[in-house]
Amino acid sequence: MDQFQSEGGELMVGGIPLRRLAERIGQTPFYAYDRELLTRRVAELRAALPAGIKIHYAMKANPMPAVVDHMARLVDGIDVASGRELKVALDSGANPHEISFAGPGKRHEELRQAVAAGILINIESFREVSELAAIRQATGWPVRVAVRVNPDFELKSSGMKMGGGPKQFGVDAEQVPALLAEIGQAGLAFEGFHLFAGSQNLRPEAIVEAQRKCFDLALRLAESAPSAVKFLNLGGGFGIPYFPGEQRLDLSSISANLAAIATEAREKLPEAEIVIELGRYLVGEAGIYVCKILDRKVSRGHTFLVADGGLHHHLSASGNFGQVIRKNYPVTIGDRSDAPAGEAVSVVGPLCTPLDILADRMALPEAHPGNLVVIFQSGAYGASASPQAFLDQPRVVEVLV
Ligand SMILES: *Cc1c(COP(=O)(O)O)cnc(C)c1O
C-alpha cells in the first residue's frame, strides 16, 4: 500500500524501520498507527470538501486514547457510542459542545453522563425522550438532543447497511414528527438531525444520492421541529480499498454535492451546521497490524506460515467481522518487502480454529520463522473489534508512532 514506504526491503512506520519498531515495542503482535498519515488524511479531506462542512470522527473505528487525542485536534467533533467512549473523548480535550452520542441501547446511566457532560445526544427511541425528560427534571440541566432518523431509503452498495427498512438504529422517518412533539413537550433542547445510512461505501454516486436524500428528508422533518435546526449530521459511510480491484474513493462529486447542499441549507436551514461523520475513512489506512512467523509448515504441498497473531487481534482481516465472502486484506512480509511475491502461501494464526486465517493462498515474498507479517488497512475496527480473550493468547499492543 503506497501510503507506507520501504527502505532496503523494510517497511517504515513514522520514520522507523519495522524491525526496530518491533524491538522498541518489545513484542509482537502489535498495531502501529502513523500519526503523520492521520494528519495528512484529515488535511486532504478538508482540502477536498467545501469550506464550512464539519468533519466528525466516529471513534468506535479506533478508540485508542492516543489516537483519539490526536484526532480531536484535527477534526471538528467526536462521535461516541458508549459512556466509556465518552470518557475517552472528554479526556482528549474535545469540546463537549462538539461531542455527540449515538447508539441504539443507551443505558440510563449513560444518558445521565451525557447530560452532565453537556454533549449532544442523538435520540433513537421514545424511551430515551422520557428518560431524558426525567433527567432534566431531576437535575435542571439543559438536555441537548438531535433525532437520529432511520431514513425511508437505503444506501446502495454499502458494505454494511445501517438505515432504511426495519432497523434498530434511530427512529423511523414516519414516526419522527410524533417524537419531535414529545421532545418539545419535554423541554429538551432540540438541535437537529442525525442520518446515517451505512458504512464502507466505495461508490461516490451512491454516497451523493444518500446525502442528497438525507438532506431532503431533514428539510421535510424540520417542518415538524420544535425549534430551528442547528445541527445536521448527514452521516458518511466513506469506504477505503481493502481488496484487489478496489480503488480509493474519488471525492470530487461528493464534494460538489455537499457544496450544493450547503448553499441550499444557508437559505432553508440558515442556522444549521452541516456535519459528516467518518470513522474508517479517517484512520483505516494509517494503521498496520504486525505479527511474527512462528512456524513454516508444508501440508500436502501447501505452505502455511503460522504466526503469533490472528483473528483474536484482527477479526476483520480474518474475514469474520461481517464479511459474506472471505477475501484477503493487503498483506506483505514487512522485513522482506523488496523480495518478489514468489510463493502462494496461507498465513494462519495460533488459534485452534480453521477460522484463524490472515491470508489465504496469497502470493508473498518467501518468509520463514522470525519474519514479520504486515496487514495493511488495519487502522480501523482492529484491536477493539476483536475477541482478544478467545483462547487466552497474549494481548495485542497498540502504538501511535
Ligand atoms: C460506525 C458508525 C460510524 C462510522 O462508520 P465508518 O464506516 O467507520 O465511517 C459513523 N456513524 C455512526 C452512527 C456509526 O454507528
Side-chain angles (χ1 to χ4, degrees):
M1 299 302 294
D2 59 5
Q3 70 271 34
F4 288 96
Q5 262 81 57
S6 287
E7 279 179 23
E10 193 165 351
L11 200 76
M12 304 292 288
V13 186
I16 305 172
L18 189 65
R19 275 178 299 195
R20 180 83 181 247
L21 180 62
E23 294 285 342
R24 192 187 97 171
I25 293 167
Q27 76 158 68
T28 54
F30 60 87
Y31 279 93
Y33 314 118
D34 187 319
R35 197 186 293 276
E36 179 55 33
L37 290 178
L38 295 172
T39 305
R40 219 196 294 160
R41 173 51 66 102
V42 177
E44 285 169 1
L45 179 64
R46 276 202 199 282
L49 293 182
I53 300 289
K54 305 282 184 195
I55 301 169
H56 280 204
Y57 174 48
M59 65 170 278
K60 81 168 189 284
N62 188 328
M64 182 202 185
V67 168
V68 177
D69 290 0
H70 186 73
M71 297 304 289
R73 278 180 234 121
L74 302 173
V75 298
D76 304 304
I78 307 278
D79 293 316
V80 304
S82 71
R84 290 163 68 111
E85 283 194 356
L86 173 58
K87 176 192 184 299
V88 175
L90 291 167
D91 287 348
S92 78
N95 179 351
H97 199 82
E98 311 299 342
I99 299 176
S100 56
F101 180 13
K106 304 181 194 76
R107 286 176 288 117
H108 188 76
E109 301 72 34
E110 291 177 308
L111 292 170
R112 280 188 82 101
Q113 274 180 275
V115 172
I119 65 164
L120 181 68
I121 300 161
N122 291 316
I123 288 191
E124 308 207 22
S125 74
F126 286 84
R127 189 242 346 156
E128 288 183 359
V129 176
S130 41
E131 292 205 15
L132 288 169
I135 293 169
R136 179 176 170 271
Q137 288 241 307
T139 63
W141 297 329
V143 177
R144 301 176 53 219
V145 300
V147 174
R148 180 169 181 184
V149 182
N150 177 25
D152 40 15
F153 56 86
E154 283 195 356
L155 176 56
K156 286 182 194 144
S157 63
S158 170
M160 210 177 273
K161 287 192 173 63
M162 291 179 66
K167 286 283 178 302
Q168 72 266 52
F169 308 108
V171 174
D172 292 351
E174 50 279 24
Q175 296 182 42
V176 167
L179 187 86
L180 289 166
E182 288 200 10
I183 287 173
Q185 279 151 22
L188 309 183
F190 170 81
E191 296 198 3
F193 296 105
H194 173 222
L195 299 105
F196 181 73
S199 177
Q200 181 49 22
N201 200 318
L202 285 171
R203 283 183 51 210
E205 63 279 13
I207 294 173
V208 162
E209 187 187 327
Q211 292 189 328
R212 168 44 68 178
K213 285 184 170 173
C214 284
F215 180 66
D216 291 343
L217 177 56
L219 285 181
R220 262 191 283 136
L221 296 174
E223 291 168 15
S224 317
S227 55
V229 173
K230 294 189 210 146
F231 172 90
L232 180 53
N233 185 335
L234 293 178
F238 297 10
I240 61 171
Y242 288 100
F243 306 122
E246 291 183 343
Q247 303 288 322
R248 288 204 174 93
L249 195 59
D250 178 354
L251 294 175
S252 48
S253 59
I254 296 172
S255 178
N257 181 57
L258 285 171
I261 286 175
T263 305
E264 203 177 326
R266 270 194 290 279
E267 186 201 325
K268 295 182 177 158
L269 301 172
E271 292 178 41
E273 135 179 311
I274 311 278
V275 175
I276 58 169
E277 62 180 6
L278 301 168
R280 177 194 323 265
Y281 186 81
L282 298 181
V283 296
E285 298 206 51
I288 56 173
Y289 173 68
V290 182
C291 53
K292 192 164 69 192
I293 296 170
L294 297 172
D295 213 336
R296 182 186 163 101
K297 307 205 310 197
V298 179
S299 167
R300 310 215 158 102
H302 186 68
T303 301
F304 290 88
L305 303 174
V306 186
D308 63 358
L311 80 72
H312 52 308
H313 298 153
H314 204 331
L315 192 65
S316 12
S318 77
N320 294 295
F321 191 61
Q323 294 95 328
V324 180
I325 300 165
R326 190 191 178 285
K327 293 185 203 153
N328 291 325
Y329 269 44
V331 173
T332 192
I333 304 300
D335 51 346
R336 297 214 63 208
S337 57
D338 57 352
E343 54 175 19
V345 298
S346 293
V347 180
V348 299
L351 305 189
C352 289
T353 159
L355 301 176
D356 194 7
I357 301 172
L358 293 176
D360 187 29
R361 291 161 203 274
M362 191 171 183
L364 290 176
E366 186 182 317
H368 293 274
N371 285 132
L372 298 174
V373 174
V374 170
I375 302 181
F376 294 104
Q377 309 301 72
S378 296
Y381 305 108
S384 70
S386 300
Q388 289 215 47
F390 190 36
L391 274 89
D392 215 0
Q393 291 274 335
R395 300 297 155 110
V396 72
V397 171
E398 294 176 275
V399 293
L400 175 63
V401 188

